[in-house]
């Protein structure tokens, strides 16, 4: 690392990096020199040193704004890789802002290939508006994903004594040709066949575009039971098994009774008939509700499982929950954030069991305005575990949802919810905000093969619970903002729309309060699901620490909340992507008999590269490339005015429904090959 005259008096790069990463207070060159007791005439030498450190990625983990403006400092950032195209083009997003895309103009300086999921330090080029896409050159690999990949055999070619096996990754985000070389005497050849699945290890990348791999193990066929979920777990590097120290801690927590003093200072809600309302398959019940009418409107209690009482900050349990970030609900399989000992038992608000909770006691006006609220540590006993269908049946028929739960209680909750929804709609909430959630239910036979795809019905019972949770989260966000609690907020910016596309803006976590456009709120957070979301657990600790000075919170969470927010934004995206990929693989199996037939699809976006679609039969996202559109309809070609039919740009817009031909399915990747329906296009 080159230095200017006088640089020998400076601290080494490791000591300087450690100092800069310890705090988040902005410092400049002069402050750094004073902190090390060095003279100010070393400013130039320090600037050169910081410049060199930035270019090698040594400053990648600095909190945002830690360094004050320094002349000629390179613009570096952390980015998370999202996909790699077959032409070698790599796309990522800023870890600090998932809504800003970055295109990487090369691989790492040592030739290492960057893969989806990698966290990479890059040097950014200046932004070029109006596109929200920047370019960057990779500097260092900060957090790599596994280089062991599931792959599918594509071709097997013999050449004398050698055998060349070409494969493709099962991860659709990774368009990379793989090559496994062996000889005719290799015993593995007896098991090699086109379509076989195996784990391979990425070794290198040749100039001919083939990445060299080594064999690790064979995998079950794509049609095997639970293989769709297993491939999603592997390709997204989801932590599945809990380490032994975390499991041991969970067992110890379960055995250890709570001190009587802990129970005595809590508010006793065991006589209040709080109820949980969830899906039929749910096992982790982290919120319960109760409401009554008052002279001023409604009295609502939202009780949330007090997970922080069982998961100490900095413990093995906490570290593992932090790494996972969220529970993942794959079709027919759950990967919990916490061991089942806690998530499905000790922390879960099971009926008839005493459970510790955080109680939000809210008073609401008839128009949905929040009049007042308090936060209490409490102990509760759920009166019933109800499903959405049971609650909906009660709303429709006025029959009690359970023998000991009167209809009046459900109707009062419904009236409370209706008032809250009225207030939410008046706030200007975006009605389409939740329309893109994963709303498909897959029914499989005993062998694990999908036999039906059913859109999940949105019931008024769902809205009943959702409006109460939104109000509770909003109330907590306001408290956190007022008390300057060191938690995380949920921010959602306004989307940009035009005639042909809609740039969807993702909601994200940030240590600074901000508006939530989708819900029409000035401030919002997540607090009501601490069993399945680490953000909620952090916010429990942050808020209760201020309220009673007894809760614990990790030092690194308060010192570097932006780093934590980046990680949790990533784990949330990883979870939703894994679930969608699992659904896509199941849809590929389900639709395989439909190859060669017509299907209907809805246009979601239009780009120069083609059409983004959603199949109406399975809800599967897919794509029609401009190449096939050009071949059939003259898409984006003004010379074909006579063929400006259903596929012409003038006729299409997001929301248009059209017919497509299913050409092929791929269960290994979940990718569908589509062609436009040309039956009505003149020749």
């Amino acid at each position: 690392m080159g230095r200017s005259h006088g640089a020998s008096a400076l601290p080494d790069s490791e000591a300087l990096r450690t100092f800069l990463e310890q705090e988040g207070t902005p410092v400049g060159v002069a402050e750094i020199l004073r902190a090390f007791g060095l003279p100010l005439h070393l400013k130039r030498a320090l600037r050169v040193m910081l410049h060199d450190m930035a270019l090698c990625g040594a400053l990648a983990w600095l909190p945002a704004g830690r360094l004050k403006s320094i002349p000629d400092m390179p613009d570096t950032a952390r980015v998370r890789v999202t996909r790699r195209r077959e032409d070698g083009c790599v796309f990522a997003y800023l870890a600090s802002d998932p809504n800003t895309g970055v295109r990487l103009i090369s691989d790492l300086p040592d030739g290492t290939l960057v893969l989806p999921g990698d966290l990479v330090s890059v040097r950014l080029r200046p932004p070029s508006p109006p596109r929200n896409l920047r370019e960057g050159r990779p500097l260092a690999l900060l957090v790599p994903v596994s280089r062991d990949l599931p792959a599918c055999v594509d071709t097997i070619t013999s050449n004398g004594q050698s055998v060349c096996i070409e494969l493709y990754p099962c991860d659709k985000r990774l368009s990379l040709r793989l090559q496994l070389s062996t000889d005719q005497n290799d015993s593995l050849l007896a098991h090699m066949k086109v379509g076989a699945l195996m784990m391979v290890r990425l070794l290198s990348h040749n100039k001919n575009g083939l990445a060299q791999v080594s064999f690790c193990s064979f995998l079950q066929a794509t049609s095997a039971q639970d293989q769709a979920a297993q491939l999603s777990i592997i390709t997204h590097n989801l932590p599945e098994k809990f380490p032994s120290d975390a499991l041991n801690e969970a067992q110890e927590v379960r055995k250890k009774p709570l001190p009587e003093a802990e129970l005595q200072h809590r508010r006793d809600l065991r006589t209040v008939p709080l109820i949980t309302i969830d899906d039929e398959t749910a096992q982790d019940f982290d919120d319960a509700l109760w409401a009554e009418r008052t002279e001023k409107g409604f009295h609502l209690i939202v009780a949330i499982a007090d997970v922080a009482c069982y998961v100490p900050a900095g413990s093995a349990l906490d570290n593992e929950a932090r790494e996972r970030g969220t529970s993942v609900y794959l079709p027919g399989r759950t990967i919990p954030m916490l061991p089942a000992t806690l998530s499905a038992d000790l922390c879960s608000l099971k009926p008839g069991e005493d459970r510790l909770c955080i109680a939000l006691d809210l008073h609401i006006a008839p128009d949905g305005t929040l009049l007042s609220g308090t936060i209490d540590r409490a102990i509760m006993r759920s009166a019933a575990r109800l499903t959405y269908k049971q609650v909906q049946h009660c709303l429709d028929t006025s029959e009690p949802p359970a023998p000991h739960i009167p209809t009046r209680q459900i109707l009062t909750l419904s009236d409370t919810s209706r008032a809250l929804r009225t207030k939410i709609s008046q706030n200007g909430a975006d009605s389409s905000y939740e329309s893109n959630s994963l709303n498909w239910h897959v029914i499989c036979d005993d062998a694990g093969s999908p036999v039906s795809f059913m859109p999940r019905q949105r019931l008024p019972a769902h809205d009943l619970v959702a409006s109460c949770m939104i109000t509770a989260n909003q109330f907590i966000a306001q408290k956190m903002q007022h008390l300057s609690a060191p938690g995380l907020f949920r921010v959602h910016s306004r989307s940009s729309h035009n005639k042909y596309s809609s740039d969807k803006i993702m909601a994200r976590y940030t240590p600074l309060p901000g508006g939530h456009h989708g819900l029409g709120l000035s401030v919002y957070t997540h607090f009501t699901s601490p069993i399945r979301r680490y953000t909620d657990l952090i916010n429990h600790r942050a808020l209760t620490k201020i309220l009673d000075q007894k809760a614990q919170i990790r030092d690194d969470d308060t010192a570097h909340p932006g780093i934590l927010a980046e990680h949790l934004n990533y784990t949330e995206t990883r979870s939703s992507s894994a679930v969608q990929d699992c659904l896509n693989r199941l849809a590929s199996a389900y639709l395989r008999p439909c190859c060669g037939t017509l299907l209907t699809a809805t246009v979601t976006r239009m780009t120069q590269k083609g059409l983004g679609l959603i199949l109406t039969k399975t809800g599967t996202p897919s794509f029609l490339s401009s190449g096939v559109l050009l071949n059939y309809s003259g898409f984006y070609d003004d010379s074909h005015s006579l063929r400006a039919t259903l596929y012409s740009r003038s006729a299409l817009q997001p929301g248009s429904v059209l017919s497509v031909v299913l050409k092929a399915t791929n269960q290994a990747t979940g990718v569908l090959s589509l062609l436009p329906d040309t039956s009505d296009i003149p020749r």
Side-chain angles (χ1 to χ4, degrees):
M1 181 180 296
R3 291 188 179 183
S4 303
H5 176 69
S8 59
L10 294 173
D12 60 38
S13 60
E14 183 63 24
L16 183 54
R17 182 187 63 80
T18 301
F19 165 76
L20 290 172
E21 289 182 1
Q22 283 177 344
E23 297 182 19
T25 305
V27 293
V29 174
E31 289 94 338
I32 296 173
L33 290 173
R34 280 194 289 268
F36 282 95
L38 297 173
L40 294 181
H41 71 78
L42 294 178
K43 281 185 177 181
R44 182 174 182 276
L46 181 56
R47 283 197 295 266
V48 172
M49 184 177 183
L50 289 170
H51 183 280
D52 291 347
M53 290 177 66
L55 287 182
C56 70
L59 303 181
W61 291 104
L62 291 192
R66 174 60 165 156
L67 283 177
K68 293 181 181 178
S69 178
I70 298 176
D72 301 322
M73 274 289 286
D75 186 4
T76 60
R78 294 179 299 275
V79 301
R80 185 74 68 170
V81 178
T82 56
R83 63 188 175 101
R84 184 185 186 97
R85 287 199 322 218
E86 191 170 4
D87 60 5
C89 192
V90 179
F91 291 92
Y93 62 81
L94 289 182
S96 60
D97 181 9
N99 295 302
T100 299
V102 179
R103 185 174 71 87
L104 305 188
I105 60 176
S106 68
D107 282 300
L108 290 161
D110 62 359
T112 301
L113 298 179
V114 289
L115 303 181
D118 282 344
L119 186 65
V120 182
S121 171
V122 301
R123 181 175 186 177
L124 295 171
R125 289 180 172 178
S128 53
R131 295 187 64 195
N132 195 29
L133 179 68
R134 301 190 65 177
E135 290 187 335
R137 182 180 298 278
L139 300 173
L141 183 57
L142 302 176
V143 181
V145 296
S146 173
R147 264 47 189 172
D148 289 353
L149 314 170
C152 185
V153 176
D154 193 19
T155 61
I156 303 175
T157 307
S158 297
N159 184 13
Q161 289 299 313
S162 65
V163 178
C164 179
I165 303 167
E166 288 197 20
L167 311 95
Y168 59 87
C170 296
D171 188 347
K172 69 176 184 179
R173 303 170 301 167
L174 180 57
S175 297
L176 191 66
R177 296 169 61 205
L178 310 176
Q179 186 179 66
L180 173 65
S181 298
T182 184
D183 58 59
Q184 295 283 6
N185 299 321
D186 195 327
S187 59
L188 292 175
L189 286 178
H191 305 282
M192 293 286 184
K193 61 180 180 179
V194 173
L197 293 185
M198 64 183 71
M199 289 296 296
V200 297
R201 180 162 298 159
L202 189 62
L203 300 176
S204 63
H205 189 260
N206 290 347
K207 292 183 179 180
N208 62 1
L210 289 173
Q212 299 300 305
V213 298
S214 62
F215 173 81
C216 295
S217 63
F218 282 106
L219 298 173
Q220 295 186 77
T222 54
S223 58
Q225 187 171 8
D226 204 34
Q227 186 66 325
Q230 191 60 36
L231 285 175
S232 291
I233 291 171
I234 298 172
T235 55
H236 289 276
N237 294 277
L238 295 175
E240 187 177 13
K241 295 183 178 180
F242 285 93
S244 58
D245 54 354
L247 292 174
N248 291 337
E249 283 186 1
Q251 290 294 342
E252 289 300 317
V253 168
R254 187 184 184 192
K255 295 176 184 176
K256 186 178 179 181
L258 288 169
E260 189 63 29
E262 173 70 20
L263 302 179
Q264 288 179 354
H265 85 270
R266 287 177 176 261
R267 180 182 175 187
D268 194 340
L269 294 176
R270 285 175 288 189
T271 59
V272 178
L274 288 149
I275 58 172
T276 63
I277 306 174
D278 294 275
D279 283 320
E280 289 88 340
T281 58
Q283 295 182 331
D284 47 356
F285 315 130
D286 45 18
D287 55 74
L289 299 171
W290 172 85
E292 66 177 351
R293 289 187 175 276
T294 67
E295 292 181 358
K296 295 183 178 180
F298 303 96
H299 177 201
L300 172 67
I301 295 179
V302 180
I304 312 298
D306 192 354
V307 179
C309 191
Y310 299 103
V311 182
S315 63
L317 271 173
D318 183 54
N319 291 335
E320 185 63 18
R322 177 191 178 106
E323 173 61 27
R324 294 177 178 231
T326 180
S327 296
V328 184
Y329 301 95
L330 298 167
R333 189 169 179 179
T334 297
I335 304 176
M337 185 182 78
L338 296 168
T341 305
L342 299 182
S343 62
D345 189 7
L346 189 59
C347 294
S348 186
L349 306 181
K350 300 168 69 173
E353 302 280 350
D354 287 357
R355 290 292 184 262
L356 302 185
C357 65
I358 303 294
L360 310 185
D361 199 308
L362 309 176
H363 290 271
I364 299 159
D367 65 353
T369 301
L370 182 61
L371 300 174
S372 64
T374 60
I375 306 170
D376 298 299
R377 289 181 176 274
I379 182 170
M380 61 160 286
R381 184 182 299 152
S382 173
R385 177 266 198 268
L386 302 181
T387 68
Y388 289 112
K389 289 184 178 179
Q390 287 177 305
V391 172
Q392 189 59 48
H393 181 73
C394 174
L395 296 176
D396 292 339
T397 65
S398 295
E399 295 179 6
H404 54 291
I405 301 298
T407 300
R408 180 182 68 259
Q409 182 174 345
I410 303 300
L411 296 180
T412 302
L413 271 173
S414 178
D415 292 340
T416 306
S417 169
R418 188 178 300 109
L420 294 174
R421 288 200 306 277
T422 299
K423 185 64 176 179
I424 292 171
S425 63
Q426 290 174 351
N427 290 334
D430 185 352
S431 60
S432 65
Y433 174 64
E434 296 183 353
S435 63
N436 294 321
S437 56
L438 306 176
N439 291 324
W440 289 80
H441 177 60
V442 185
I443 300 175
C444 296
D445 59 21
D446 294 338
S449 299
V451 295
S452 176
F453 272 70
M454 300 291 292
R456 293 186 184 274
Q457 186 180 7
R458 182 77 180 185
L459 301 171
H462 290 93
D463 296 327
L464 183 156
V465 175
S467 57
C468 293
M469 296 304 119
I470 290 172
T471 300
N473 285 328
Q474 180 192 12
F475 170 69
I476 292 296
Q478 292 170 340
K479 281 288 185 182
M480 286 172 52
Q481 184 180 28
H482 175 69
L483 297 171
S484 298
L488 297 178
F489 294 87
R490 186 73 166 171
V491 173
H492 180 239
S493 303
R494 186 181 299 272
S495 302
S496 61
H497 298 275
N498 60 50
K499 181 179 180 181
Y500 302 115
S501 66
S502 176
D503 295 329
K504 296 297 181 182
I505 302 297
M506 296 186 297
R508 60 190 177 94
Y509 297 116
T510 171
L512 299 176
H516 194 296
H517 169 68
L519 297 174
L521 300 175
S522 60
V523 65
Y524 192 67
T525 191
H526 280 160
F527 190 84
T528 57
S529 298
I531 294 178
R532 64 180 180 89
R533 280 192 310 236
Y534 193 75
T535 306
D536 303 53
L537 178 55
I538 283 292
N539 287 340
H540 276 229
R541 291 176 182 155
L543 189 60
T544 53
K545 179 180 182 180
I546 290 179
L547 292 175
D548 61 18
Q549 296 298 313
K550 292 183 179 181
Q552 294 176 311
I553 189 164
R554 294 165 61 121
D555 291 339
D556 55 342
D557 291 341
T558 55
H560 306 304
I563 301 296
L564 177 61
E566 290 176 11
H567 171 69
L568 296 177
N569 286 328
Y570 164 63
T571 57
E572 180 186 35
T573 302
R574 178 179 66 180
S575 171
S576 61
S577 182
V579 174
Q580 185 62 67
D581 283 357
C582 185
L583 288 169
N584 292 349
R585 291 186 176 95
L586 292 171
S588 294
Y590 177 67
L591 293 173
R592 188 172 184 180
C594 300
C595 288
T597 65
L598 287 177
L599 300 174
T600 58
T602 302
V603 176
T604 57
R605 70 185 190 280
M606 300 175 63
T607 71
Q608 292 294 331
K609 294 187 178 297
L611 301 177
L613 306 172
I614 292 287
L615 292 186
T616 55
K617 191 176 183 70
T618 58
T620 308
S622 192
F623 196 75
L624 265 179
S625 70
S626 56
V628 298
L629 291 169
L630 281 167
N631 291 338
Y632 287 93
S633 67
F635 196 68
Y636 295 124
D637 187 347
D638 294 337
S639 65
H640 291 264
S641 57
L642 294 178
R643 300 173 67 157
T645 60
L646 181 61
Y647 289 95
S648 70
R649 182 162 186 158
S650 60
L652 288 177
Q653 58 183 340
S656 297
V657 178
L658 48 84
S659 296
V660 293
V661 178
L662 180 61
K663 181 182 178 182
T665 67
N666 188 322
Q667 288 180 240
T669 61
V671 173
L672 306 177
S673 297
L674 303 176
L675 292 173
D677 173 21
T678 61
S679 58
D680 62 344
I681 296 180
R683 298 290 180 178

